[in-house]
Amino acid sequence: MKYTTPTILMCPPDYYGIEYEINPWMSRSHQSDPKFACQQWEALNQLLQSLGAQVELMTPIKGLPDLVFTANAGLIWKDVAFLSLFRHEARQGETPLDRDWFQKAGFETIEMPDDCFFEGAGDALFCGDTLFAGYLIRSDVRAMQWVAEKMNCRVIPLQLVDDFYYHLDTCFCPISKTEAIYYPPAFDEYAQQALKEHVPHLIPVVDNEAQRFACNAVVLDQSVVLNTGCPQLEKDLNARGYQTYSTPLDEFIKAGGSAKCLTLRLDGERAAVWP
């Protein structure tokens, strides 16, 4: 593996803004403040580094405001990056840049079949040796099955049913091999039952904290970094031995993202046991 210590890919928000509307959080009449967005992004960057993460940077590009959300660049598995195939045309220009970055960093890149929408670590998260796969709103279930077959691992498809929680990482966050944060109403009944059967310890979040993107957290060993305004989840995590760090990310919630969306682990998540 190229990276053997916690390493995170981020992209500065130089050209971040609400230029289109592809999820219910986005409104061109409710714009992000560029100054505050830069301050919040930099505070997250510095916090992650203070917790021991190395941060690698992509170059921001004008006209691609969501390039800042590096979680969607692809799914990392060892020295392989499965590239995203975005459902919305507005984001499809990101993939060639993601491909170039991964290849220059030493990753083998794998492209999805033409008929399989796949939005990277936004919808595909390991908890233990199982790949949990959000589908329907952005990614296709057959894309998840195709990726899992390439990795020779078990995949549990999870149907997302609330457009406000359009990616899996907005409503599900593995924090160890056996523990995960989740927001039950974002999933259909089958998915809720599948999570209960396959994740030994689930930590539900309450409605108002889910709306603060409580599930969209970054895990570094026993540290969990998340948006402000999630006191109940912080209390629950502290009780399980985790140290929580909250930092304001409201400017990015305007586009439907928070801490996890702004990051991509290049060395593998703490919760992942790769096949």
Side-chain angles (χ1 to χ4, degrees), residues 10 36-50 225 246-249:
M10 298 182 71
F36 289 153
C38 286
Q39 290 174 348
Q40 291 178 2
W41 183 93
E42 186 59 37
L44 175 64
N45 179 7
Q46 292 300 319
L47 176 56
L48 294 172
Q49 291 190 58
S50 75
V225 176
S246 61
T247 187
L249 292 165

Coordinates of all heavy atoms in Angstrom, one line a residue, residues 10 36-50 225 246-249:
M10 N -8.1 16.0 0.3 CA -9.0 17.1 0.4 C -8.8 18.0 -0.8 O -7.8 17.9 -1.5 CB -8.8 17.9 1.7 CG -9.1 17.1 3.0 SD -9.0 18.1 4.5 CE -10.4 19.1 4.4
F36 N -16.5 32.4 4.7 CA -16.8 31.5 5.7 C -16.5 30.1 5.3 O -16.0 29.3 6.1 CB -18.3 31.6 6.2 CG -18.6 32.9 6.9 CD1 -19.8 33.4 6.9 CD2 -17.6 33.6 7.6 CE1 -20.1 34.6 7.6 CE2 -17.8 34.7 8.3 CZ -19.1 35.3 8.3
A37 N -16.8 29.7 4.1 CA -16.5 28.4 3.6 C -15.0 28.1 3.7 O -14.6 27.0 4.1 CB -17.0 28.2 2.2
C38 N -14.2 29.0 3.3 CA -12.8 28.8 3.3 C -12.3 28.7 4.8 O -11.4 27.8 5.1 CB -12.0 30.0 2.6 SG -12.1 29.9 0.8
Q39 N -12.9 29.5 5.7 CA -12.5 29.4 7.1 C -12.9 28.1 7.7 O -12.1 27.5 8.4 CB -13.1 30.5 7.9 CG -12.6 31.9 7.5 CD -13.4 33.0 8.2 OE1 -14.5 32.8 8.8 NE2 -12.8 34.2 8.2
Q40 N -14.1 27.6 7.3 CA -14.5 26.3 7.9 C -13.7 25.2 7.3 O -13.4 24.2 8.1 CB -16.0 26.1 7.6 CG -16.9 27.1 8.4 CD -18.4 27.0 8.1 OE1 -18.8 26.1 7.3 NE2 -19.2 27.8 8.7
W41 N -13.4 25.2 6.0 CA -12.6 24.1 5.4 C -11.2 24.1 6.0 O -10.7 23.0 6.4 CB -12.5 24.3 3.9 CG -11.8 23.3 3.2 CD1 -12.3 22.1 2.6 CD2 -10.4 23.2 3.0 NE1 -11.3 21.4 2.0 CE2 -10.1 22.0 2.2 CE3 -9.3 24.1 3.3 CZ2 -8.8 21.7 1.8 CZ3 -8.0 23.7 2.9 CH2 -7.8 22.5 2.2
E42 N -10.6 25.3 6.2 CA -9.3 25.3 6.8 C -9.3 24.8 8.2 O -8.3 24.1 8.6 CB -8.7 26.7 6.7 CG -7.2 26.9 7.1 CD -6.3 26.0 6.3 OE1 -6.5 25.8 5.0 OE2 -5.4 25.4 6.9
A43 N -10.3 25.2 9.0 CA -10.4 24.7 10.4 C -10.5 23.2 10.4 O -9.8 22.5 11.3 CB -11.6 25.3 11.1
L44 N -11.2 22.6 9.5 CA -11.3 21.1 9.4 C -10.0 20.5 9.0 O -9.5 19.6 9.7 CB -12.4 20.7 8.4 CG -12.5 19.2 8.1 CD1 -13.0 18.4 9.3 CD2 -13.5 18.9 6.9
N45 N -9.3 21.1 8.1 CA -8.0 20.6 7.6 C -7.0 20.6 8.8 O -6.3 19.6 9.0 CB -7.6 21.5 6.5 CG -6.2 21.2 5.9 OD1 -5.6 20.2 6.3 ND2 -5.7 22.0 5.1
Q46 N -7.0 21.7 9.5 CA -6.0 21.9 10.6 C -6.4 20.9 11.7 O -5.5 20.3 12.4 CB -6.0 23.3 11.1 CG -5.4 24.3 10.1 CD -4.0 24.0 9.8 OE1 -3.2 23.6 10.6 NE2 -3.6 24.1 8.5
L47 N -7.7 20.7 12.0 CA -8.1 19.8 13.1 C -7.6 18.4 12.7 O -7.1 17.7 13.6 CB -9.6 19.9 13.2 CG -10.2 18.9 14.2 CD1 -9.6 19.0 15.6 CD2 -11.7 19.1 14.3
L48 N -7.9 18.0 11.5 CA -7.5 16.6 11.1 C -6.0 16.4 11.2 O -5.5 15.3 11.7 CB -7.9 16.3 9.7 CG -9.5 16.3 9.4 CD1 -9.8 16.2 8.0 CD2 -10.1 15.1 10.2
Q49 N -5.2 17.4 10.8 CA -3.7 17.3 10.9 C -3.3 17.2 12.4 O -2.4 16.5 12.8 CB -3.1 18.4 10.2 CG -3.2 18.4 8.7 CD -2.3 19.4 8.0 OE1 -1.1 19.4 8.1 NE2 -3.0 20.3 7.2
S50 N -4.0 18.0 13.3 CA -3.7 18.0 14.7 C -3.9 16.6 15.3 O -3.3 16.3 16.3 CB -4.4 19.1 15.4 OG -5.8 18.7 15.6
V225 N -14.5 13.3 14.2 CA -14.7 14.7 13.9 C -16.0 14.9 13.2 O -16.3 14.2 12.2 CB -13.5 15.2 13.0 CG1 -13.7 16.6 12.5 CG2 -12.2 15.0 13.7
S246 N -15.9 18.7 17.4 CA -16.9 19.4 16.5 C -16.3 20.7 16.0 O -15.6 21.4 16.6 CB -18.2 19.7 17.3 OG -18.0 20.6 18.3
T247 N -16.6 20.9 14.7 CA -16.1 22.1 14.0 C -17.2 22.5 13.0 O -17.9 21.7 12.4 CB -14.8 21.8 13.3 OG1 -14.3 23.0 12.7 CG2 -15.0 20.8 12.1
P248 N -17.5 23.8 13.0 CA -18.6 24.3 12.2 C -18.4 24.1 10.7 O -17.4 24.4 10.1 CB -18.8 25.8 12.5 CG -17.4 26.2 13.0 CD -16.9 25.0 13.7
L249 N -19.4 23.5 10.0 CA -19.4 23.2 8.6 C -20.7 23.6 7.9 O -21.0 23.0 6.8 CB -19.0 21.7 8.4 CG -17.6 21.3 8.8 CD1 -17.5 19.8 8.9 CD2 -16.6 21.9 7.9

